[in-house]
Amino acid sequence: MRYVIIGAGPAGVMAAQTLRELAPSAEIVLVGKEKEPPYSRMAIPYLLTDKISESGTYLRKADDFYQTHNIQLLQGQVTRLDPQQKQIHLQHDTNPKQETLSYDKLLIASGATPVSPPIPGIDAPGVSTCWTLEDARQIIAGTQPGSKVVLMGAGFIGCIILESLALRNVDLTVVEMGDRMVPRMMNEKAGNLLKQWCIKKGVNVLTSAQVSTIHSAPAPQQGGILASLKRLFAGASEPAQQSTPLRVELANGQSLPADLVISATGVRSNIEFLTGSGIETDQGIRVNQFLQTSDPNIWAAGDVAQGRDFSTGEFQVQAIQPTSVEHGKLAARNMAGTPTPHRGSINMNVLDTLGLISCSFGLWMGVEDGDNIERYWPEAFRYLNLQFRDDVLVGASCVGMTEHVGVLRGLIQSEVPLGPWKDALKKDPSRLMEAYLASTQGAALRSKH
């Protein structure tokens, strides 16, 4: 039996490891597009702040992990899938000739790629994403304390990048189209609390703002010594100005000088190579409850799969690393012949932004005919919002309240009726731990007097 896995990210590596445990004698081939050993993109910010080396980003720390587990690592770009022949077509950087690779069972864990917004100048030198190790190397080489950096996007990924850039002591401006930071994770109060915190920490944050054009600055004035002397005697004796290679124009007319521009405006699933394959796709690859695609010999996992959402029961792409790891393990079990349904991954985002923790879980935006509790302490940079369907907690978001993170997730995933504890939380939401223990362990409500 030959298992082939497209994608060497968290989903692909977890799948390969799980398959080896379940199928000791099988052939396992892990195909990655990049030349580096499989690594975690979520570790790149730690590399940018010198907390880890490049090897610290690797998904498996032992140098011989793949060798000792008899997992073949293959570098190449998958260009086409032929389910009828059970083959994938590969293009290698060093060899223009394509090769084919046969499989018995295939996992597509090809991940996602940053979206390039349709902005004039987005391809100019000095404009980059922060998605790969190569991107990280360029950012490290292109910045130093005081460098002017413009970051486009303050979503979840953008905020992770924001912190690493701020810790590099650059002169940072963030441009976000939404009316708040992390608009897909936080409501207006919470998102703007995060904005005020970043401003307090020295980061210039512009919300409801849009980049219209990125200009490459004109070359410095030339002419040599003679021209300089002529300008001097003509009165042009003002001090030389430090110039930046880029200028970012906003839709409101504001102009931002920049040494480096980083785009973090979203990602899309890597499904282009599936054109003509017959595999059903939408925003990502359509899968069933076993992460199986429309072809019975092909599964999908991670940022490319439209897996089940725990809170809604609907199938959608959930591009976060915990979901990728969960997908990889479950897909491998199903590929190896151990049917394991996917109950659904909880929508979970946790951010540490310059020391301020924020998080959202499940249906943080609420449900129709639902109920909610909100507490807001802006002067202390603290916020809590609990969303209910009847007496069941279905979503939550908080800022500056790390003591509740695990409890919030536990209550949402357990779907336990809170009963009288819902009213108790309305009076005092700080009693979350008591509510969790009482509800999950069947303890009686004990009112405070």
Side-chain angles (χ1 to χ4, degrees):
M1 175 70 71
R2 174 187 277 181
Y3 296 103
V4 173
I5 300 168
I6 301 173
V13 171
M14 175 55 73
Q17 180 176 339
T18 306
L19 281 170
R20 177 53 68 224
E21 294 168 358
L22 298 173
S25 62
E27 184 180 358
I28 300 173
V29 183
L30 183 61
V31 181
K33 183 171 66 173
E34 298 179 53
K35 61 184 179 180
E36 287 86 7
Y39 66 91
S40 168
R41 302 195 193 284
M42 299 305 294
I44 287 177
Y46 299 100
L47 173 64
L48 292 176
T49 53
D50 297 323
K51 293 179 180 177
I52 59 173
S53 63
E54 285 198 9
S55 63
T57 68
Y58 297 166
L59 287 165
R60 298 295 179 266
K61 304 310 178 187
D63 293 337
D64 60 350
F65 174 84
Y66 302 97
Q67 182 180 359
T68 57
H69 286 74
N70 196 22
I71 297 169
Q72 181 185 354
L73 279 178
L74 191 61
Q75 191 271 328
Q77 173 73 50
V78 179
T79 59
R80 187 163 68 88
L81 168 62
D82 186 346
Q84 286 72 36
Q85 298 298 320
K86 299 178 80 170
Q87 292 180 335
I88 61 173
H89 293 250
L90 287 169
Q91 180 73 58
H92 300 286
D93 291 341
T94 56
N95 186 357
K97 185 178 180 181
Q98 291 197 1
E99 76 167 277
T100 58
L101 179 64
S102 298
Y103 63 85
D104 293 304
K105 293 185 179 181
L106 176 70
L107 175 64
I108 303 173
S110 48
T113 298
V115 173
S116 182
I119 296 172
I122 194 68
D123 297 323
V127 181
S128 174
T129 58
C130 184
W131 192 246
T132 66
L133 279 178
E134 183 57 35
D135 289 339
R137 295 179 192 119
Q138 293 181 16
I139 292 169
I140 291 170
T143 58
Q144 56 188 353
S147 295
K148 294 183 180 298
V149 179
V150 174
L151 173 63
M152 297 166 48
F156 181 75
I157 294 174
C159 281
I160 294 173
I161 300 168
L162 179 158
E163 180 178 54
S164 62
L165 291 170
L167 293 176
R168 289 184 66 79
N169 296 315
V170 302
D171 182 355
L172 179 61
T173 297
V174 181
V175 181
E176 166 58 42
M177 290 179 61
D179 63 355
R180 59 192 185 275
M181 295 181 69
V182 284
R184 295 185 180 181
M185 173 182 163
M186 294 281 176
N187 64 15
E188 185 175 356
K189 284 183 180 177
N192 281 312
L193 204 59
L194 191 60
K195 173 182 175 179
Q196 293 306 315
W197 176 265
C198 291
I199 291 172
K200 179 183 176 182
K201 294 294 183 177
V203 178
N204 183 26
V205 182
L206 307 175
T207 52
S208 300
Q210 186 173 359
V211 174
S212 59
T213 310
I214 301 172
H215 295 285
S216 295
Q221 192 171 8
Q222 303 295 319
I225 297 176
L226 181 60
S228 299
L229 290 171
K230 287 182 177 179
R231 288 195 298 273
L232 177 63
F233 288 115
S237 57
E238 68 276 3
Q241 299 292 317
Q242 289 287 339
S243 61
T244 57
L246 298 167
R247 190 175 76 255
V248 178
E249 300 287 348
L250 305 186
N252 63 4
Q254 187 174 356
S255 181
L256 304 171
D259 296 296
L260 178 69
V261 176
I262 298 176
S263 177
T265 55
V267 298
R268 55 174 173 76
S269 298
N270 292 325
I271 57 175
E272 293 84 357
F273 68 94
L274 297 176
T275 301
S277 68
I279 301 297
E280 292 183 10
T281 62
D282 187 16
Q283 286 85 25
I285 299 173
R286 292 184 179 273
V287 295
N288 62 18
Q289 63 177 326
F290 299 100
L291 295 172
Q292 191 175 37
T293 73
S294 54
D295 185 295
N297 295 304
I298 302 175
W299 286 257
D303 296 0
V304 77
Q306 285 183 224
R308 186 189 294 274
D309 182 282
F310 174 84
S311 300
T312 66
E314 298 175 355
F315 287 78
Q316 61 187 46
V317 175
Q318 198 180 92
I320 56 177
Q321 185 160 316
T323 295
S324 294
V325 172
E326 182 182 22
H327 278 189
K329 190 167 188 175
L330 288 173
R333 290 180 62 83
N334 288 303
M335 293 171 74
T338 304
T340 309
H342 179 220
R343 289 187 60 215
S345 301
I346 186 170
N347 185 20
M348 174 181 67
N349 295 289
V350 180
L351 276 174
D352 181 350
T353 309
L354 300 174
L356 185 65
I357 306 295
S358 58
C359 65
S360 66
F361 298 98
L363 300 173
W364 61 268
M365 71 297 292
V367 295
E368 187 176 356
D369 299 323
D371 196 7
N372 72 86
I373 300 168
E374 183 181 62
R375 295 292 184 271
Y376 184 44
W377 304 273
E379 67 286 348
F381 291 96
R382 289 166 66 87
Y383 176 81
L384 177 65
N385 188 300
L386 307 178
Q387 296 289 338
F388 299 90
R389 180 186 287 120
D390 298 324
D391 65 344
V392 175
L393 185 68
V394 295
S397 57
C398 63
V399 177
M401 303 181 72
T402 58
E403 65 271 22
H404 298 308
V405 169
V407 171
L408 291 173
R409 179 179 180 181
L411 279 172
I412 293 170
Q413 284 191 307
S414 66
E415 297 184 304
V416 61
L418 289 165
W421 272 104
K422 178 184 174 184
D423 290 331
L425 289 174
K426 279 194 167 185
K427 296 176 183 177
D428 183 3
S430 69
R431 300 183 71 188
L432 274 164
M433 178 59 77
E434 293 176 73
Y436 176 73
L437 293 174
S439 301
T440 57
Q441 298 178 13
L445 170 66
R446 296 186 298 273
S447 298
K448 289 185 177 180
H449 300 286

